[in-house]
Amino acid sequence: MSRKVTDKVVDNRGTRHVKTIIVGSGFAGLGLAIRLSEQGRGDFLVLERGSDVGGTWRDNTYPGAACDVPSHLYSYSFAPNPNWSRSFSKQGEIQSYIRGVAERANVLDRHIFDCDVTSIRWNNDDARWEIGSSKGDFTADTVVSAVGALCEPALPDIKGINDFTGEIFHSARWDHDVDLTGKRVAVIGTGASSIQIVPAIADKVASLDVYQRTAPWLLPRMDRPYLLPERLAFKHLPIVQRLSRSAIYAIRETQVVGLAKFPVLMKGFEAISRAKLQFEIRDPELRKKVTPNYRIGCKRMLISNEYYPALDRDNVDVVTDGIAEVKAGSIVTEDGTEREIDALIVATGFHVTDSPTYNVVVGKDGRTLAEVFDEGGQQGYKGSTIANFPNMFFLLGPNVGLGHTSMVFMIESQINYISDALATVDKLGLRTVEVREAAQRAYNVDLKKKMEKTVWNTGGCASWYMDKHGNNTTLWPDFTFEFRRLTKHFDVSAYDTTTAEADLKVVAAQ
């Protein structure tokens, strides 16, 4: 019989209590929900501010949106999809896959959609979390934050941008009611979203100004539709798909040698990128504009076969002068040039190391997660727990991000760790678990040491990988199979714990 989300336990204050609350239902939150369901831990809820599962793949619907990791690897290992249409999937196909996985796993009835979480506060007396939301108040023994890094759009702080009277929207909040055909359009940003948007709209707009602060390094996109024999093999011979996934993983993992071990080896990728630039852009002045001036890899490497040719179009102009201000119908650059536009697309990325969601979580000493990060830097333990926040786990926490392969691999590693932690809590009768500050500190000392010789620290560039303290708190500086090893089991010895039995003895003594 289907479990209904209306089945609930309510305390005497009218607040609903569940054992575990997961915040967010992208790849990470949904994956953990499925694992808990499979383990028979049905006393959980997923609070999702959107109207469906999918996270970034639900929200980013801009023209040309697609993944830069091959389809067979960018999917759950426990839910292979033999029906991928091509080697690199587009947004709609990925979102359909995620939704289908959720439906087949029968976990949608444990979701509350359109639920904006406004506060998550630890109650020391009750040793539980109090959660406020647009759909009511909750309490939980454990909270898992599965709020992705790419969920809060970052808007540029540009003079006059709020005075623009034309169409304006962020790439992650694309307005599909706006027809850009025949319009003068500007795109601010040249990151992963922009390099997909620009080719998708260049042939329909009257003019397109691309405002570039930093030129990205581009590599070829080895994308193609799967042939019918391949799709039949994936469907009827599962081992073929497993072998394909393993091969993709192995090939991608070799990049770690250059990114994190011996950055000099990135010269090979740089040579490929320079050759691509030379071949795809005819105009030498434009080629000079879009040639990066930093070591390849220290910012995210992008893949596209269409971006450079789009920039080479007669109706597209790359603007490298800084923006001085935005007026009602134009953009003025620092050299005084004013360019009239009808629509403005902001493709300036996301709040990664300074997410507004950090202000929502209040730990045991009354400090918010934002305050903790502000004082000591964005640090965690195995990307999954943070001192001062007992009974709270993080999917895609500090230093879990990747620049070369599938985040789903890291997510599944963390799911292993968190699900084992919850099992350990039950087995040992624990009331609270909180990572020791000493364990967290030692872990981050080791991370920093590994990070010193990576391309991200030696490449001579600033990026959204870095926090305000100048530390790379976003990426994992080693092979992903090493992270899988570290998170295989929950190491309770690294945690301060309390037991319900001990609390009862204290009460009895009083």
Side-chain angles (χ1 to χ4, degrees):
M1 185 171 71
S2 175
R3 298 163 298 182
K4 299 298 181 183
V5 80
T6 52
D7 298 339
K8 57 186 178 180
V9 176
V10 180
D11 67 15
N12 55 15
R13 293 168 294 182
T15 299
R16 181 176 178 184
H17 179 76
V18 293
K19 193 166 186 178
T20 304
I21 278 183
I22 302 169
V23 182
S25 192
F27 260 111
L30 176 61
L32 180 60
I34 293 171
R35 177 69 65 86
L36 296 183
S37 180
E38 290 175 345
Q39 292 180 336
R41 302 177 182 279
D43 188 13
F44 71 88
L45 283 176
V46 184
L47 308 184
E48 168 55 56
R49 72 177 181 180
S51 58
D52 200 355
V53 298
T56 189
W57 295 106
R58 177 198 62 232
D59 295 340
N60 285 268
T61 60
Y62 58 80
C67 191
D68 57 5
V69 175
S71 307
H72 288 307
L73 188 58
Y74 198 78
S75 50
Y76 295 118
S77 64
F78 58 83
N81 178 20
N83 300 313
W84 293 119
S85 65
R86 58 191 311 114
S87 52
F88 288 82
S89 302
K90 297 184 180 297
Q91 175 270 332
E93 194 169 10
I94 296 173
Q95 175 60 12
S96 295
Y97 164 77
I98 297 171
R99 175 73 188 191
V101 171
E103 290 173 347
R104 290 189 295 275
N106 194 30
V107 294
L108 290 174
D109 56 359
R110 306 312 298 170
H111 283 65
I112 299 180
F113 292 109
D114 300 310
C115 181
D116 190 17
V117 174
T118 55
S119 65
I120 304 174
R121 181 178 291 273
W122 177 253
N123 184 314
N124 282 308
D125 294 331
D126 295 338
R128 61 173 52 171
W129 288 97
E130 297 174 345
I131 300 98
S133 81
S134 59
K135 292 291 183 75
D137 297 332
F138 305 84
T139 60
D141 299 330
T142 302
V143 167
V144 180
S145 172
V147 178
L150 307 182
C151 71
E152 294 291 339
L155 300 175
D157 183 16
I158 299 175
K159 178 184 176 183
I161 195 167
N162 293 324
D163 299 327
F164 184 68
T165 58
E167 306 291 350
I168 179 172
F169 45 86
H170 192 278
S171 58
R173 302 291 184 267
W174 194 272
D175 189 344
H176 291 276
D177 292 331
V178 175
D179 184 3
L180 297 176
T181 303
K183 291 186 176 180
R184 297 167 298 181
V185 180
V187 174
I188 301 178
T190 53
S193 298
S194 179
I195 68 158
Q196 295 180 341
I197 292 169
V198 168
I201 66 174
D203 63 346
K204 65 174 64 174
V205 302
S207 64
L208 179 59
D209 298 325
V210 181
Y211 287 83
Q212 171 189 282
R213 183 172 61 180
T214 306
W217 284 104
L218 259 63
L219 294 169
R221 184 179 182 87
M222 311 302 288
D223 187 24
R224 64 177 180 82
Y226 281 125
L227 302 174
L228 179 59
E230 292 175 297
R231 297 175 68 177
L232 289 174
F234 294 147
K235 186 172 183 178
H236 298 290
L237 297 171
I239 191 173
V240 174
Q241 189 174 15
R242 288 197 297 271
L243 290 173
S244 175
R245 180 185 178 95
S246 297
I248 295 168
Y249 172 77
I251 292 170
R252 288 268 169 160
E253 202 67 2
T254 61
Q255 294 185 28
V256 177
V257 180
L259 291 170
K261 305 296 183 181
F262 305 101
V264 68
L265 298 179
M266 297 305 296
K267 288 289 186 180
F269 288 99
E270 183 175 322
I272 294 172
S273 186
R274 289 188 182 278
K276 177 181 176 63
L277 179 60
Q278 184 76 22
F279 179 75
E280 293 181 348
I281 291 188
R282 298 164 298 174
D283 181 357
E285 286 300 313
L286 175 59
R287 194 183 306 137
K288 183 178 179 181
K289 276 186 178 182
V290 298
T291 298
N293 60 359
Y294 55 90
R295 180 181 287 182
I296 190 170
C298 72
K299 286 180 180 285
R300 184 178 175 184
M301 296 182 293
L302 307 179
I303 58 173
S304 176
N305 298 331
E306 301 169 336
Y307 182 64
Y308 285 153
L311 297 184
D312 213 18
R313 292 175 60 96
D314 292 337
N315 67 327
V316 178
D317 188 20
V318 177
V319 183
T320 57
D321 294 306
I323 298 175
E325 66 175 313
V326 176
K327 293 185 176 182
S330 63
I331 293 179
V332 181
T333 49
E334 292 174 350
D335 66 348
T337 303
E338 183 172 359
R339 296 174 175 83
E340 295 185 350
I341 56 172
D342 305 306
L344 175 56
I345 300 167
V346 181
T348 48
F350 302 84
H351 291 283
V352 178
T353 60
D354 61 342
S355 173
T357 62
Y358 297 158
N359 293 299
V360 170
V361 184
V362 181
K364 70 176 187 180
D365 66 0
R367 288 184 300 164
T368 65
L369 188 58
E371 289 171 332
V372 171
F373 284 165
D374 187 62
E375 293 171 16
Q378 189 174 345
Q379 297 185 2
Y381 181 70
K382 299 187 177 181
S384 303
T385 53
I386 298 172
N388 189 54
F389 299 90
N391 288 17
M392 188 168 195
F393 297 90
F394 296 82
L395 286 161
L396 303 178
N399 290 107
V400 175
L402 300 172
H404 69 287
T405 192
S406 175
M407 280 304 304
V408 182
F409 184 91
M410 301 294 274
I411 287 169
E412 291 192 14
S413 299
Q414 287 194 283
I415 288 173
N416 293 339
Y417 189 75
I418 294 171
S419 60
D420 193 46
L422 297 178
T424 301
V425 166
D426 289 347
K427 180 180 178 181
L428 300 181
L430 302 179
R431 193 181 191 201
T432 63
V433 292
E434 179 191 358
V435 66
R436 294 193 179 107
E437 289 190 5
Q440 179 173 297
R441 186 165 49 251
Y443 179 79
N444 281 274
V445 167
D446 183 60
L447 273 182
K448 192 171 184 178
K449 184 177 180 181
K450 288 182 176 179
M451 196 68 73
E452 287 176 354
K453 58 185 178 182
T454 68
V455 69
W456 310 302
N457 270 35
T458 60
C461 69
S463 72
W464 55 266
Y465 297 150
M466 317 296 281
D467 68 7
K468 73 172 195 175
H469 299 279
N471 296 316
N472 187 330
T473 58
T474 304
L475 298 179
W476 170 246
D478 207 336
F479 294 104
T480 59
F481 55 75
E482 177 63 13
F483 185 79
R484 176 65 59 92
R485 183 189 67 79
L486 288 174
T487 53
K488 186 176 182 180
H489 299 294
F490 180 66
D491 49 341
V492 69
S493 61
Y495 290 76
D496 287 325
T497 63
T498 64
T499 64
E501 181 180 342
D503 292 336
L504 289 173
K505 288 181 180 178
V506 170
V507 173
Q510 294 173 342

